[in-house]
């Protein structure tokens, strides 16, 4: 490649390592570091939340507690239908990270949250966040597929 970095397709295989160029000398990756409070909205199958939780857990700094609140517009049942092979294992691993006594990462998952109306949800009040990540909007369509906004295709 022009940059000299091998950009191998990952195809949702989170066991492959990330490119070293994304990491900074102090352990941060793209501005994320231990101790942050992060809100994610529109995360689809919560794969971004899982990658972030893994990153923050690997940066375990002892006294710095990281917190992730991940939300989805869809119901849990809808996401189980749309992502039948990955959704349950993603939730299971997120729960393991949170329940691990040695982990300094707390992850909360909330379903049926309309990100355009965040001020109406008690789960988010009166909290502040160091980062708010609005992932690409995506919702299930009537036949259970992963539906993209047709104007963006």
């Amino acid at each position: 490649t022009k940059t000299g970095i091998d950009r191998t397709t990952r195809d949702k295989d989170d066991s492959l390592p990330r490119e070293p160029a994304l990491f900074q000398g102090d352990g941060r990756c793209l501005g994320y570091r231990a101790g942050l409070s992060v809100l994610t909205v529109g995360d689809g199958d919560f794969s971004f939340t899982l990658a972030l939780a893994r990153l923050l857990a690997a940066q375990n700094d002892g006294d710095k507690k990281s917190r992730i609140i991940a939300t989805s517009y869809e119901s849990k049942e809808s996401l189980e239908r749309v992502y039948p092979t990955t959704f349950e294992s993603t939730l299971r691993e997120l729960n393991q990270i949170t329940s691990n006594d040695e982990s300094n990462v707390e992850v909360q998952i909330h379903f049926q949250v309309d990100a355009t109306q965040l001020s109406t949800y008690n789960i988010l009040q009166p909290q502040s966040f160091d980062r708010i990540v609005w992932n690409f909007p995506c919702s299930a369509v009537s036949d259970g597929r992963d539906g993209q906004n047709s104007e963006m295709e």
Side-chain angles (χ1 to χ4, degrees):
T1 65
K2 290 180 183 178
T3 63
I5 298 173
D6 181 12
R7 298 189 183 277
T8 305
T9 303
R10 294 187 61 233
D11 194 32
K12 289 287 199 185
D13 183 355
D14 289 324
S15 66
L16 294 175
R18 298 279 181 180
E19 295 178 20
L22 298 178
F23 290 91
Q24 304 185 6
D26 59 3
R28 292 180 296 145
C29 177
L30 298 176
Y32 293 100
R33 64 186 181 285
L36 291 180
S37 177
V38 180
L39 170 66
T40 66
V41 295
D43 192 3
D45 65 353
F46 295 106
S47 58
F48 175 83
T49 298
L50 178 57
L52 182 58
R54 287 173 177 167
L55 173 75
L56 296 175
Q59 297 176 355
N60 192 340
D61 194 355
D63 62 340
K64 291 183 181 177
K65 183 81 170 174
S66 301
R67 181 175 53 110
I68 304 170
I69 296 182
T71 67
S72 172
Y73 182 76
E74 300 292 335
S75 68
K76 182 177 181 182
E77 295 76 20
S78 174
L79 294 173
E80 288 169 336
R81 201 171 43 257
V82 174
Y83 303 104
T85 59
T86 60
F87 182 68
E88 284 302 320
S89 63
T90 298
L91 286 186
R92 190 171 30 261
E93 186 172 347
L94 286 168
N95 286 329
Q96 289 170 348
I97 290 171
T98 296
S99 63
N100 181 343
D101 290 337
E102 295 179 14
S103 175
N104 63 341
V105 179
E106 173 192 355
V107 180
Q108 297 176 23
I109 304 290
H110 299 280
F111 303 96
Q112 296 181 299
V113 174
D114 182 346
T116 66
Q117 303 292 322
L118 291 176
S119 64
T120 65
Y121 293 92
N122 291 335
I123 57 170
L124 303 176
Q125 306 300 329
Q127 300 184 48
S128 64
F129 300 94
D130 299 300
R131 306 283 188 277
I132 298 175
V133 181
W134 189 300
N135 288 290
F136 186 79
C138 181
S139 61
V141 291
S142 60
D143 64 359
R145 289 181 298 114
D146 186 6
Q148 298 291 327
N149 183 336
S150 61
E151 287 82 24
M152 295 181 161
E153 291 183 334

